[in-house]
Amino acid sequence: MTLPPNGSVRTSWLRVRSLEVGSKLERREILGNLQAELDNQRDEDPAITVKLLSLLARAAAFEHDWSTQGRLLTQALPSYRQIRAWLGEANTLISRARLAFATDDRSRDDAEMAEAIRIYTAVGLTEWAERFRAEAATWQTPDTETQNSSQ
């Protein structure tokens, strides 16, 4: 096995990108079973719960199950705040904003993107904030551009 340039080795069985479709679906089922177990243990560590919800949301996105992805992201957000995982919170807000944009939920996409950008800026990730600010600027439709310029 060849080590990556930084010397670290990632051997996580949860990695999703390089797996075959069948393997991804099997792992989705395993994660779903784990979530059911955790749901019965309310005293579970929120960091574990939030990681599981994040992985389930990624699996739902893979399956193009946008409503489930949105529900899981919404479920994860309070846990990120509880454990003060600002980067996780901001990334979740970005995912929710992209999902809102893709489903034409204009009432949410701008607000969630703005909140994520605020968090990235607050924790010193100004390059990330600028990148997402530029992405959000591409979301402007002719109607919203006209509305924004008339205000």
Side-chain angles (χ1 to χ4, degrees):
M1 170 163 77
T2 307
L3 290 177
N6 65 1
S8 67
V9 179
R10 285 186 74 170
T11 58
S12 172
W13 70 276
L14 294 172
R15 285 180 51 190
V16 176
R17 292 183 185 159
S18 62
L19 298 175
E20 297 293 324
V21 173
S23 295
K24 288 179 183 181
L25 294 174
E26 287 175 17
R27 281 163 178 77
R28 166 68 176 93
E29 184 178 349
I30 291 168
L31 291 170
N33 292 337
L34 182 56
Q35 182 185 21
E37 286 182 32
L38 288 176
D39 286 346
N40 294 326
Q41 300 176 4
R42 286 288 153 204
D43 59 340
E44 189 56 53
D45 180 358
I48 293 171
T49 301
V50 79
K51 181 65 175 172
L52 175 63
L53 291 170
S54 175
L55 290 168
L56 285 166
R58 286 176 54 197
F62 169 76
E63 297 170 3
H64 304 283
D65 185 350
W66 310 128
S67 62
T68 298
Q69 180 192 21
R71 180 182 51 78
L72 291 164
L73 292 170
T74 299
Q75 241 182 300
L77 208 48
S79 296
Y80 278 119
R81 290 175 177 148
Q82 179 185 0
I83 63 174
R84 293 187 166 103
W86 311 127
L87 188 56
E89 179 183 353
N91 290 341
T92 299
L93 286 166
I94 292 292
S95 294
R96 285 173 38 112
R98 287 175 172 160
L99 184 58
F101 174 74
T103 58
D104 291 324
D105 187 351
R106 299 301 300 177
S107 63
R108 266 198 15 237
D109 63 2
D110 292 336
E112 295 196 337
M113 183 64 83
E115 178 64 11
I117 290 168
R118 186 197 63 75
I119 293 169
Y120 289 131
T121 302
V123 298
L125 295 172
T126 53
E127 288 181 18
W128 286 31
E130 288 305 316
R131 183 177 88 200
F132 291 119
R133 190 173 284 117
E135 178 182 335
T138 67
W139 295 358
Q140 297 294 317
T141 63
D143 291 341
T144 56
E145 288 173 1
T146 304
Q147 290 171 358
N148 289 341
S149 65
S150 66
Q151 292 177 355

